[in-house]
Amino acid sequence: MTDTMEPTAAPMIVPDFGDDASDRKLAIICSKGNLDMAYPALVLGNAALGEGVETHLFFTFWGFDMIIDSRMDNLQFSPAGNTAMHLPIRGKEVRIPQALMPLPGMTGMATKMLQDQLEELDLPSVRDFLDQIVAAGGQLWACRLSADMNKVDMDDLYEGVTDIINASDFIEMTEGAQLLFI
Amino acid sequence: MPVTTIAGAEVHVNDEGFLTEFDEWSEDIGAALAANIGIEMTPRHWEVIHFLREDFKAQGETATTRRVQNAGGFPTKEQFTLFPKKPARKMAYIAGVPKPKGCV
């Protein structure tokens, strides 16, 4: 073989999917029960799983609403205190005065608007998103103290929750993990 | 764009090794790409890959794992079994389409 053969052919490049070095681990603490605050954890957790990262979601305090079976399909978004809420009115983006936000019906309207936007982007509901995360190998953990506060047990929780664990269990299990508090 | 030879054919690839020309792909190339990353193709693997290619042709972008489940009918869990750890990237690589852009 001489140097002149196949002068244009480069050696084959194989992408590095990092399978050998995938000891990365992510733990996300979900502490909020508002609809808008549910999604960051769901999007990032799902993305991490898609990248082969071991992923744990830990639900605590208000975040419990994301996994209480009777509440998770009905999370709300309140514009009160949120100055980044703009409404398209007559072709303009209007910032609604904060004094109007606590009026009756505002939370319902804002929730509906957010749900419509999420749907437009083809984002799954909280339940469907958790289904997908569990199917991708994600682990869901419920906080013992929050379970006691809410007076619920495993029977009241979304079926994909692995277990109710205490704070020490969580700390032990997330050794070496990257932590995200939402 | 580098040109390389895969399964006896000259193809264009990007600097990660993904095919850049949709029409340069063939099943032989797909099988060779799969072998590169340690995946042995079964009829079920091919079903997913053909869905991905057809969907790309129709939509102009690569299906995410969620779309492969909802529009293609391949459950997420199965995708992780067939294409372990990073299904979206691995499926795209074998199918000769770009990595998916969507977040979900």
Side-chain angles (χ1 to χ4, degrees):
Chain A
M1 193 185 283
T2 68
D3 292 350
T4 53
M5 284 179 74
E6 297 184 26
T8 56
M12 179 144 50
I13 312 159
V14 177
D16 178 14
F17 289 111
D19 285 358
D20 300 330
S22 58
D23 55 350
R24 191 168 163 197
K25 194 166 162 182
L26 175 68
I28 305 178
I29 300 173
C30 306
S31 73
K32 301 282 199 297
N34 308 48
L35 182 62
D36 55 322
M37 293 309 283
Y39 276 83
L42 297 172
V43 172
L44 289 172
N46 184 58
L49 288 160
E51 290 302 307
V53 177
E54 178 185 331
T55 302
H56 300 264
L57 268 62
F58 183 72
F59 299 88
T60 185
F61 273 83
W62 316 120
F64 238 59
D65 274 21
M66 290 172 70
I67 49 163
I68 291 181
D69 202 68
S70 60
R71 298 182 189 167
M72 61 192 290
D73 297 315
N74 194 27
L75 300 189
Q76 305 275 302
F77 165 57
S78 169
N82 179 6
T83 56
M85 170 90 181
H86 308 271
L87 283 182
I89 294 175
R90 291 196 202 112
K92 283 187 191 153
E93 278 201 347
V94 179
R95 189 175 267 157
I96 308 296
Q98 279 294 312
L100 297 179
M101 295 305 193
L103 290 180
M106 284 302 262
T107 297
M109 187 191 71
T111 301
K112 178 76 177 60
M113 279 180 63
L114 181 57
Q115 280 168 340
D116 289 348
Q117 283 177 334
L118 294 170
E119 204 167 307
E120 205 172 297
L121 293 169
D122 196 29
L123 280 172
S125 67
V126 171
R127 187 183 293 273
D128 287 351
F129 224 149
L130 287 175
D131 284 349
Q132 184 169 328
I133 284 171
V134 170
Q139 298 272 312
L140 312 181
W141 304 100
C143 158
R144 162 56 53 200
L145 183 63
S146 309
D148 294 346
M149 273 172 58
N150 284 285
K151 296 187 171 52
V152 297
D153 57 28
M154 282 295 280
D155 291 342
D156 304 300
L157 299 181
Y158 164 68
E159 58 180 1
V161 173
T162 307
D163 205 358
I164 299 173
I165 60 172
N166 67 28
S168 310
D169 294 334
F170 177 74
I171 295 298
E172 196 181 2
M173 131 189 334
T174 55
E175 183 179 349
Q178 293 169 313
L179 278 174
L180 199 50
F181 185 92
I182 295 174
Chain B
M1 289 293 170
V3 175
T4 187
T5 308
I6 300 172
E10 286 212 341
V11 293
H12 293 78
V13 295
N14 67 12
D15 52 14
E16 268 189 288
F18 281 65
L19 260 63
T20 55
E21 302 299 322
F22 185 81
D23 294 322
E24 287 179 354
W25 186 89
S26 69
E27 277 206 6
D28 285 347
I29 291 173
L33 294 172
N36 281 348
I37 56 170
I39 290 175
E40 196 179 323
M41 298 297 281
T42 66
R44 191 62 173 166
H45 285 91
W46 284 120
E47 278 182 52
V48 179
I49 296 306
H50 285 299
F51 166 74
L52 221 68
R53 286 191 57 83
E54 266 153 44
D55 193 65
F56 182 86
K57 212 168 174 180
Q59 304 290 325
E61 59 181 283
T62 305
T64 60
T65 47
R66 176 171 152 75
R67 184 167 168 80
V68 173
Q69 168 174 277
N70 291 353
F74 305 97
T76 302
K77 208 169 184 167
E78 191 184 1
Q79 294 177 46
F80 273 86
T81 309
L82 295 171
F83 306 95
K85 298 211 167 164
K86 302 187 181 182
R89 284 169 191 265
K90 288 182 176 176
M91 292 186 295
Y93 173 65
I94 296 168
V97 296
K99 285 182 282 191
K101 289 200 193 98
C103 281
V104 180

